[in-house]
Amino acid sequence: MITVLKGTHDVILDEASKYTYVEQVLIRVAETYGFKEFRTPIIEASNLFTRSVGDSSDIVRKEMYTFLDKGERSITLRPELTAGVVRSMVNNKLFIEQDYPKKAYYVGPCFRYERPQQGRYRQFNQFGVECVGVNNSYRDSEVIILAYNALKMLGFKDITLKINTLGDEESRLNYKTVLKEYFKEHLNSMCPDCHERYNLNPLRILDCKVHEDQEIVKNAPKMSNFLTENAKKAFEEVKAILTENGVKYDVDDSLVRGLDYYSGVVFEFHYTSKQGKNYGAIGAGGHYNKLVKELEGPDIEGIGFAMGIERLVSVMNDDNLFDEIDLEDTMLDVYILPIGEENIAYSLSFANKLRSLGYATEVCLENKGMSQMFKKAERRRAKLALILGENEIKNGEVVVKNLALKEQETIKMEDLVEYLDEILIKEE
Ligand code: AMP
């Protein structure tokens, strides 16, 4: 049997309804903040990611799905969407008109060749936003508030928001020099990845997950001691605006994020389900200063975040957050039971009339006995079963059975729409 590839998964049936629900809530919230949808390609030129996500990131170093196409071009399945969205803003000349900020939201699959584990897939879905231009703490805070409120809208109550600042260029330069000095002494006992990070970007060592390295990492000098006055001020402003807006946060000075393009404020959302399961960050993001320019846009800065739909759905499943949500919209309204093969064709066109009125309708496409058709209707989780036989059609009537109440009645065709509206819309 051919099965899904390692680290990938089918999202089907009820689970798919949950994905759609979560995505729609996130999209709705982003739209209330004035963000517009961007759909960028899944395949991109590989150097888009080496130039943006960065050579020192785990993503570029070992997780990209990269291949040569038939024209010998190096292509990569996008590991994240920020780079593609900013590239599209540049390519489509959105920055010519300087009514900043440019606001994009996106949703779609990403690909990373990671070791699959709880909450970690090789193909997964992200929802995210990018807000580019207008470089100040109001913009940065508003994007974090958006993410926080979107999680609230999904029903999350105790979200942990960790924030930190990576400072400005000057802060980071000072800090990197000090970090290099510190890690130089310990490098011999550290993991091979840290050796590489030491040369490419010593900040990345702070993100090392290897157990034996933790003590060394913990005792490393802290970024907060190397911030310039401007960087400190910007961080203080963001924190004040978050507090003013009722957003609770914890400052975590070990938070550096795994992508090279970040600067300034960075953040992660964590949530542990009631059963104690932690799927890693459910969302994360940060400010970027050089990304737009790196992709040949103007010298402007932006901020964005991404949330993992898989992780959101997993924690929501664990904590029964879907129980309070009406996913019934996805249920079938009407299942038509044609009596005898000769009435199937009539039932098909009748179903189309109901669909054009907005009712999800299916027809039993085979000539089956009544009890079998009722069983099918129940398996389909239809709200109503409609019986269409020779007599009903001749008399301009239809027999309707409410499958939940187990009540059956005969309705005149001309009264049916009113009847359906009453039963099905009243329920919502
Ligand atoms: P990142 O782009 O690494 O900042 O990730 C943003 C969000 O995407 C994370 O907070 C996760 O929720 C989700 N995510 C990242 N990698 C994976 C993965 N391999 N599988 C599932 N979700 C992921």
Side-chain angles (χ1 to χ4, degrees), residues 97-225:
E97 232 183 279
Q98 293 187 356
D99 58 338
Y100 295 150
K102 304 293 173 188
K103 295 162 123 181
Y105 76 79
Y106 58 80
V107 55
C110 305
F111 305 82
R112 294 183 194 172
Y113 196 78
E114 297 197 80
R115 199 167 59 80
Q117 49 189 295
Q118 180 170 283
R120 198 168 288 285
Y121 297 90
R122 289 183 174 169
Q123 176 173 344
F124 57 98
N125 292 281
Q126 280 190 344
F127 161 86
V129 313
E130 305 302 333
C131 189
V132 185
V134 182
N135 190 33
N136 64 31
S137 305
Y138 301 115
R139 179 206 55 189
D140 286 0
S141 312
E142 189 166 59
V143 167
I144 303 174
I145 294 167
L146 188 175
Y148 189 83
N149 285 340
L151 292 172
K152 291 249 139 140
M153 289 296 279
L154 286 172
F156 288 93
K157 295 209 171 64
D158 307 306
I159 319 155
T160 306
L161 164 61
K162 293 185 186 178
I163 62 170
N164 191 23
T165 180
L166 302 180
D168 49 19
E169 220 42 37
E170 193 186 329
S171 318
R172 266 195 313 285
L173 213 63
N174 295 339
Y175 185 44
K176 278 184 189 172
T177 315
V178 179
L179 272 186
K180 272 203 133 169
E181 268 170 40
Y182 169 78
F183 284 121
K184 198 167 154 189
E185 288 174 27
H186 300 90
L187 211 54
N188 280 344
S189 60
M190 297 187 81
C191 73
D193 269 353
C194 281
H195 285 241
E196 220 175 304
R197 290 174 182 135
Y198 180 83
N199 292 318
L200 291 168
N201 179 359
L203 261 178
R204 303 243 25 84
I205 300 180
L206 300 177
D207 214 19
C208 177
K209 301 284 184 293
V210 174
H211 183 69
E212 291 74 25
D213 292 356
Q214 293 310 296
E215 199 55 29
I216 302 170
V217 170
K218 211 175 80 198
N219 294 325
K222 299 286 176 252
M223 177 85 205
S224 49
N225 295 327

Side-chain angles (χ1 to χ4, degrees), residues 137-138 141 145 163 232-247 249 251:
S137 305
Y138 301 115
S141 312
I145 294 167
I163 62 170
K232 256 190 225 161
K233 183 168 160 274
F235 194 42
E236 290 308 316
E237 282 170 0
V238 169
K239 288 193 287 184
I241 301 170
L242 293 182
T243 305
E244 238 169 76
N245 283 275
V247 175
Y249 58 82
V251 174

